Amino acid sequence: MKKLTLTHLVAATLTVAISQVSTASAQEFPDGPVTIVTPFAAGTTTDLISRVVGEGMAEYLGQPVVIENRAGAGGSVGTQQVVQADPDGYTLSMGTVGTLAINKSIYPDNPYDPETDVTPIAFIGYTPTLLVVSGDSDFNDLEDLIEAAAQDRGVTFASAGNGTSGHLAGELLNIQTEGDMIHVPFRSGAEGLTAVMSGEVDFMFYHPVAALPNIEAGTMKAIGVSGADGSSVAPEVPPIADTFEDFDLVAWFLLAGPADMPEDVTKRLRDAAENSLASDKVREHFERTGIEFGEVEFSGLEQFISDEVVKWGEIANAAGAQAD
């Protein structure tokens, strides 16, 4: 039998101790409330998703999951709070296409870099947006809108503000139609929808959950959808990609934390999020509000964010879009 030296014994003891600490860390986390910072106001799509997913995570983790709304600068204020927090897993962000992709291009002094300053945890879901017009509009399909843009009839489109996903979707449509559409930014999506319904503005890209009640009431019409695969809650609306092949823009949601989070803590949070997403309550909420389940694996999340930064950045640069 090989004789063990003191060095061997110390090394073996340290290996066991490190293994025990790592295992204990995963088992003990969390030993208190976990906060998900929602970088937008209460009642928004991001806020509602955070609450329903957070509730399921709390059941899995055995600790409360607190939702903290911290809006401002297109979500950058709340996201900055998270990236500056201790990377211990207790402060997370419900990241969005805006906070983790678009803002890097449209805010010259954005206070964080989504490609280096966050730890991606789990892809939550996505939603295509509907291209909506007034119920009384002469535009009955996308071809009508394209023709009006080609004839330089002063087509206008609303958004919830400069640099939002709805703004950039409108700009991409403007680029691909080679028209001269005019962007009309509002302070909120609700104000933009009201302007479209009244005929003050011609069209808008917006989430199905907010647009569908107006469509069902006849005060709006949907003549296109931004996602190449359409929308599960509006399957009759044709994808714009049927006309413009490369048109595939969706708003997405991704749970993230500060950079350099421990792997075992990240995995436990990911397991909690995935367990929540598999619950009947979350599935029913997503089906009702038009949120689609994503197919992005954990190993591909960093590349996904980088690809989205490039895609939305190209649109922003082509349109000359900057935040308010």
Side-chain angles (χ1 to χ4, degrees):
M1 180 181 290
K2 185 176 180 179
K3 185 177 180 180
L4 290 175
T5 66
L6 179 61
T7 301
H8 288 135
L9 288 172
V10 171
T13 301
L14 285 173
T15 299
V16 172
I18 291 170
S19 176
Q20 289 175 340
V21 168
S22 178
T23 301
S25 174
Q27 291 176 343
E28 293 172 3
F29 174 85
D31 60 5
V34 172
T35 297
I36 298 179
V37 176
T38 300
F40 300 98
T44 58
T45 301
T46 309
D47 173 68
L48 297 176
I49 287 175
S50 298
R51 293 181 188 279
V52 70
V53 173
E55 184 176 330
M57 290 179 64
E59 293 177 3
Y60 182 89
L61 295 171
Q63 293 288 348
V65 173
V66 179
I67 307 303
E68 179 183 338
N69 296 95
R70 189 168 177 80
S76 288
V77 171
T79 307
Q80 181 183 16
Q81 175 185 336
V82 174
V83 302
Q84 292 179 339
D86 290 334
D88 54 12
Y90 288 95
T91 306
L92 310 176
S93 173
M94 185 55 73
T96 69
V97 64
T99 63
L100 297 184
I102 296 174
N103 288 4
K104 183 173 180 178
S105 295
I106 66 168
Y107 284 94
D109 299 316
N110 199 49
Y112 61 89
D113 187 335
E115 297 183 84
T116 58
D117 294 340
V118 305
T119 297
I121 297 171
F123 189 83
I124 302 301
Y126 68 94
T127 177
T129 53
L130 297 177
L131 194 173
V132 293
V133 299
S134 168
D136 297 326
S137 174
D138 292 334
F139 303 144
N140 293 308
D141 53 36
L142 186 61
E143 292 303 319
D144 289 340
L145 183 59
I146 294 172
E147 182 180 350
Q151 294 176 356
D152 195 20
R153 285 165 44 187
V155 175
T156 56
F157 67 96
S159 79
N162 287 318
T164 58
S165 59
H167 170 206
L168 296 185
E171 294 290 1
L172 180 59
L173 184 62
N174 187 31
I175 292 168
Q176 295 197 331
T177 59
E178 298 181 351
D180 190 20
M181 299 177 182
I182 302 166
H183 175 224
V184 184
F186 288 84
R187 290 178 297 179
S188 69
E191 290 183 5
L193 286 176
T194 299
V196 171
M197 283 188 286
S198 69
E200 176 186 347
V201 182
D202 289 315
F203 74 91
M204 181 179 188
F205 283 93
Y206 211 58
H207 303 308
V209 65
L212 282 174
N214 300 305
I215 294 170
E216 293 169 357
T219 54
M220 298 188 101
K221 296 182 290 189
I223 61 173
V225 61
S226 67
D229 296 326
S231 170
S232 60
V233 292
E236 73 285 354
V237 180
I240 296 172
D242 289 352
T243 302
F244 299 108
E245 183 178 358
D246 296 331
F247 204 108
D248 186 18
L249 299 178
V250 297
W252 46 261
F253 309 91
L254 189 156
L255 186 66
D260 302 321
M261 280 174 48
E263 290 184 10
D264 55 351
V265 171
T266 300
K267 183 180 185 306
R268 183 148 172 78
L269 289 167
R270 181 169 74 254
D271 290 345
E274 291 177 349
N275 184 266
S276 181
L277 289 171
S279 69
D280 290 341
K281 184 170 185 178
V282 170
R283 289 190 171 276
E284 290 169 3
H285 177 82
F286 278 23
E287 289 172 4
R288 185 173 66 253
T289 56
I291 306 298
E292 315 286 349
F293 286 92
E295 297 283 336
V296 185
E297 298 292 336
F298 173 72
S299 60
L301 288 178
E302 290 185 358
Q303 187 61 52
F304 172 79
I305 290 174
S306 294
D307 291 344
E308 289 288 293
V309 166
V310 171
K311 179 172 76 174
W312 290 92
E314 289 175 349
I315 300 171
N317 292 335
Q322 290 290 306
D324 294 318

